[in-house]
Amino acid sequence: MSFLENKWWKQAIGYQIYLRSFYDTNGDGIGDINGIIEKLDYLKDLGVDLLWICPFYKSPMDDNGYDVSDFYDISPEYGTLEDAKRLIKEAHKRGIRIIADLVMNQTSDEHEWFMESRKSLDNPYRDYYIWQKGKIVDGKEVEPTNWASFFGGSCWQKDDITGEYYMKIFSKKMPDLNWANEAVRKSMFVMAKFWLDLGIDGFRVDAVAHIARSKTFEDSTMDSNEKYKPDWRKFSNLPKLHDYLKEFNHEVLSKYDVMTVGEVGGGAMPKEAIEYAGLNRDELNMVFNFDHNWCNNVWDLKDPNEKVVTNLPHLKDMFDKWQTNLYGNAWHPIYWLNHDQPRVMSQYGNVEKRILSGSMLATALYFMWGTPFIYQGEEIGMTNYPFKTIEDFNDVSVKNSYHIACVEGNQDKDRFIGFTAHRSRDNARTPMQWKNAPYAGFSSAKPWFHENPNYTSINVEDEQNNPDSLLNYYKKVLKLRKDPTYIDTFIFGDYEQVLREHPSVYAYLRSYEDDILVVTNFFDDVQTVSIEGLEVEVLLLSNYKNTVPTLKHLVLRPYESFVLKVKKTI
Ligand code: GLC
Ligand code: CA
């Protein structure tokens, strides 16, 4: 496949749905599949034509569905298989495709494979998971290795039935599958086929970077004070997983016209992304990385009340790194946040100037090359939640970390809550704010998770009624991206940063059939810049009421942003 080959998923505009918090139709306070069906016209009107839906399978919901107990059925709180079929049909009718979240790394401990596996050493399913004996150190039994789990503590859990430990890099209710076992791979492939045959258009492949493990279960020698070492190399991006992905592609994906986007996340470099998604690799179509998600001071705060400040030079470098190294080599998704990150409005935006800063952020991102994924609520500028106590949180990883830090350890509780409020995944998971009505118009009953109290001023209905709203600006952005005159430049044009050294302005040029310049002021003050060698031909979009600007002397008001068709003059 050539980089310039036109595939539907290169043109698609994606939208991620955290099902549990999207829209509740039956009054149980939990978002459901029928809720997505009811909002399909809203999504179509927004301009999206691809939905990534977070896990909807049967699950005890320890990690809100990433702990699957039956891959072949829908969780009853979300609906039925018939609802899922209807959703696929109704979406397709509107020209909207759907990708499912494919959870490959683990199952729930309540999955029948695991319930069998733990029964005895010689159970036929024993090898579906990763079991090891404990180690004896100074006459005492400890975990097989000192490796940490992403959700806090050890990545091993002792199981009393056989006295061995199973691996779980997330929560203890999420035992890791053993992909080295061919039977596991085959079972997963059959499952993936089941969904594709139902009409699903592809997958977001969850935690795919972890499906191969170091085969030698040796302690990490990482230099860190923690008891369990966060040495993710032991189970991330290991070469063997590429054999598994090639097999998956060969046996399943290649037989359908579908797309895949893998979650590869922290630590992966463009070189690794090209290994997953390179043009002739026959593995995945693209992979998510997290490099641009934390380009501010939220992990370095000395005090939780300190102001969150964007580190724009760092953010610019991260965008450059991916936009230039992957161009021509591998496709790429572009996104601001997902269900595992804080709200972008609270990360890089300005809640007080929601519409201006939100429209700037949309402009800065969505004219890069790659497949966009908007996260639910981003289009109205939803913000972080004002968490005050540990009870306010839902996320199992927050609860685990709190226990280790403040119950077993002696970290100050208020400080822990203060820092976690900035960083927590729960920020993205509060109910979608549909209108200024009880429970944010998400449900007729008390939602499973608190609505953000700012729904009174930030909600879809008000945004729809205001021509100058953020929602209406998002529609303009997406419409321009699909404009037949410029679409090829937006999809296939290369990317070159302009004003690279500027600390407050982010600007880049996309060149293909046309040259299109994007200029954005990331901050709440006026910037004057001069861009040489380019002349404006058409003002395509701006977040102020504007006339055609002069590039030689360009005064940018707070968060001012432009998309301009330009001509090269030298
Ligand atoms: C991915 C998901 C995250 C989940 C984890 C375990 O990172 O995005 O929400 O907790 O995998 O499946
Ligand atoms: Ca419901």
Side-chain angles (χ1 to χ4, degrees):
M1 191 201 304
S2 107
F3 187 73
L4 300 180
E5 188 181 328
N6 215 342
K7 290 280 184 186
W8 64 264
W9 39 264
K10 295 184 181 173
Q11 300 199 13
I13 295 181
Y15 186 95
Q16 184 192 349
I17 293 186
Y18 198 69
L19 176 55
R20 215 174 169 70
S21 301
F22 189 60
Y23 188 56
D24 171 28
T25 54
N26 65 346
D28 63 356
I30 299 173
D32 42 53
I33 291 188
N34 285 330
I36 306 179
I37 299 177
E38 274 198 30
K39 297 296 182 187
L40 284 173
D41 289 328
Y42 166 78
L43 295 164
K44 170 130 185 107
D45 182 51
L46 175 59
V48 307
D49 52 12
L50 171 67
L51 304 178
W52 152 23
I53 304 175
C54 283
F56 39 57
Y57 318 99
K58 256 195 189 148
S59 160
M61 300 291 165
D62 186 53
D63 189 24
N64 293 345
Y66 284 94
D67 47 320
V68 180
S69 55
D70 182 354
F71 289 109
Y72 291 90
D73 208 352
I74 302 286
S75 169
E77 60 204 272
Y78 295 149
T80 63
L81 208 50
E82 287 312 307
D83 295 337
K85 289 184 193 162
R86 211 156 50 82
L87 169 63
I88 296 170
K89 201 166 122 218
E90 290 296 319
H92 285 174
K93 235 186 353 208
R94 292 167 175 81
I96 298 176
R97 289 183 164 96
I98 295 185
I99 58 174
D101 218 313
L102 188 65
V103 186
M104 305 248 264
N105 176 72
Q106 76 268 346
T107 67
S108 162
D109 64 342
E110 296 179 37
H111 191 287
E112 59 175 359
W113 298 340
F114 189 74
M115 296 198 291
E116 284 298 316
S117 184
R118 76 191 332 176
K119 278 184 185 160
S120 65
L121 296 176
D122 58 2
N123 187 281
Y125 286 91
R126 187 68 174 178
D127 245 9
Y128 264 54
Y129 297 85
I130 301 164
W131 293 95
Q132 288 287 305
K133 288 192 181 55
K135 247 183 358 202
I136 306 297
V137 176
D138 299 333
K140 220 182 104 209
E141 185 182 300
V142 297
E143 291 88 1
T145 68
N146 63 353
W147 308 346
S149 136
F150 289 114
F151 285 4
S154 167
C155 77
W156 297 101
Q157 180 68 34
K158 183 162 183 174
D159 198 43
D160 289 336
I161 304 174
T162 56
E164 288 193 347
Y165 293 73
Y166 60 88
M167 199 171 187
K168 48 98 193 162
I169 63 173
F170 296 102
S171 90
K172 66 177 181 209
K173 283 187 67 63
M174 299 160 81
D176 293 333
L177 283 164
N178 177 16
W179 274 73
N181 178 353
E182 193 185 352
V184 167
R185 301 199 298 277
K186 296 282 183 255
S187 304
M188 295 306 271
F189 299 164
V190 170
M191 182 272 286
K193 275 198 188 119
F194 170 81
W195 288 100
L196 295 176
D197 289 337
L198 220 66
I200 285 286
D201 301 289
F203 301 110
R204 177 262 187 181
V205 190
D206 184 61
V208 68
H210 311 302
I211 60 178
R213 329 264 150 174
S214 162
K215 278 222 206 99
T216 50
F217 292 102
E218 280 166 5
D219 274 353
S220 165
T221 52
M222 187 182 217
D223 190 18
S224 91
N225 296 328
E226 289 115 318
K227 177 167 173 204
Y228 302 108
K229 313 293 175 199
D231 188 356
W232 312 131
R233 288 170 312 159
K234 298 287 187 193
F235 41 78
S236 304
N237 301 317
L238 294 175
K240 191 70 194 162
L241 71 82
H242 294 290
D243 295 344
Y244 304 152
L245 288 177
K246 283 192 175 12
E247 190 181 334
F248 181 34
N249 187 300
H250 179 76
E251 294 201 7
V252 183
L253 300 171
S254 61
K255 302 193 162 58
Y256 300 80
D257 178 20
V258 295
M259 68 156 278
T260 47
V261 49
E263 184 205 21
V264 165
M269 296 312 224
K271 185 179 141 297
E272 275 142 352
I274 294 168
E275 285 168 6
Y276 284 95
L279 297 174
N280 296 315
R281 295 279 301 175
D282 294 331
E283 296 187 24
L284 302 172
N285 296 128
M286 53 190 122
V287 293
F288 284 115
N289 75 83
F290 300 156
D291 273 355
H292 62 287
N293 293 129
W294 302 101
C295 299
N296 56 15
N297 55 341
V298 301
W299 292 93
D300 305 316
L301 297 172
K302 302 273 174 306
D303 175 324
N305 299 318
E306 230 174 283
K307 195 169 175 312
V308 172
V309 188
T310 306
N311 182 342
L312 186 64
H314 185 42
L315 182 61
K316 294 210 287 187
D317 283 351
M318 293 303 111
F319 281 141
D320 266 29
K321 171 171 152 189
W322 291 90
Q323 286 283 300
T324 53
N325 286 306
L326 261 61
Y327 187 82
N329 294 316
W331 203 252
H332 187 54
I334 51 176
Y335 75 105
W336 271 128
L337 81 152
N338 62 23
H339 64 294
D340 293 329
Q341 274 117 18
R343 287 279 171 186
V344 69
M345 180 55 62
S346 304
Q347 290 277 75
Y348 304 140
N350 177 344
V351 182
E352 308 296 318
K353 298 204 174 169
R354 178 178 55 90
I355 298 179
L356 271 181
S357 66
S359 52
M360 177 280 289
L361 290 169
T363 315
L365 184 75
Y366 293 120
F367 295 103
M368 293 185 200
W369 73 267
T371 303
F373 282 91
I374 295 161
Y375 182 72
Q376 69 182 41
E378 176 194 325
E379 72 277 25
I380 58 169
M382 280 177 63
T383 69
N384 282 356
Y385 182 84
F387 294 101
K388 293 280 176 291
T389 71
I390 186 66
E391 285 75 35
D392 287 343
F393 291 91
N394 166 266
D395 184 354
V396 55
S397 78
V398 171
K399 292 185 172 157
N400 284 352
S401 309
Y402 178 83
H403 195 83
I404 294 167
C406 304
V407 180
E408 291 168 15
N410 52 11
Q411 240 191 65
D412 181 78
K413 293 194 167 100
D414 290 339
R415 278 176 70 82
F416 180 96
I417 300 296
F419 291 129
T420 307
H422 287 295
R423 302 166 186 163
S424 170
R425 314 195 294 177
D426 277 339
N427 284 305
R429 301 177 178 185
T430 59
M432 179 73 181
Q433 294 164 206
W434 291 104
K435 53 181 165 185
N436 181 4
Y439 312 125
F442 160 76
S443 169
S444 57
K446 191 170 163 43
W448 73 276
F449 197 34
H450 11 249
E451 65 281 5
N452 194 315
N454 64 17
Y455 73 81
T456 52
S457 58
I458 304 176
N459 63 72
V460 169
E461 193 177 67
D462 289 356
E463 295 275 304
Q464 281 171 328
N465 295 334
N466 170 8
D468 297 323
S469 67
L470 184 55
L471 177 66
N472 281 315
Y473 189 85
Y474 262 78
K475 287 187 201 172
K476 285 184 204 161
V477 167
L478 303 186
K479 198 162 166 231
L480 176 55
R481 231 195 117 96
K482 291 262 192 185
D483 185 324
T485 315
Y486 305 110
I487 190 165
D488 285 348
T489 301
F490 287 132
I491 296 178
F492 293 118
D494 64 10
Y495 160 102
E496 189 191 348
Q497 203 192 140
V498 179
L499 299 173
R500 181 179 297 275
E501 304 306 322
H502 202 289
S504 311
V505 174
Y506 177 50
Y508 57 87
L509 186 66
R510 300 289 316 282
S511 304
Y512 195 63
E513 281 161 3
D514 292 302
D515 291 300
I516 296 178
L517 178 71
V518 176
V519 186
T520 56
N521 176 4
F522 258 72
F523 295 98
D524 193 12
D525 45 18
V526 177
Q527 304 293 337
T528 306
V529 298
S530 173
I531 300 173
E532 304 292 330
L534 298 173
E535 205 169 82
V536 181
E537 287 195 326
V538 189
L539 167 63
L540 297 174
L541 185 67
S542 163
N543 60 351
Y544 278 77
K545 301 235 175 329
N546 252 318
T547 50
V548 177
T550 313
L551 294 177
K552 283 213 168 62
H553 182 80
L554 182 59
V555 182
L556 296 162
R557 288 165 280 184
Y559 305 109
E560 187 159 20
S561 310
F562 289 100
V563 183
L564 305 161
K565 178 175 183 307
V566 295
K567 191 170 71 196
K568 289 185 173 152
T569 56
I570 39 172

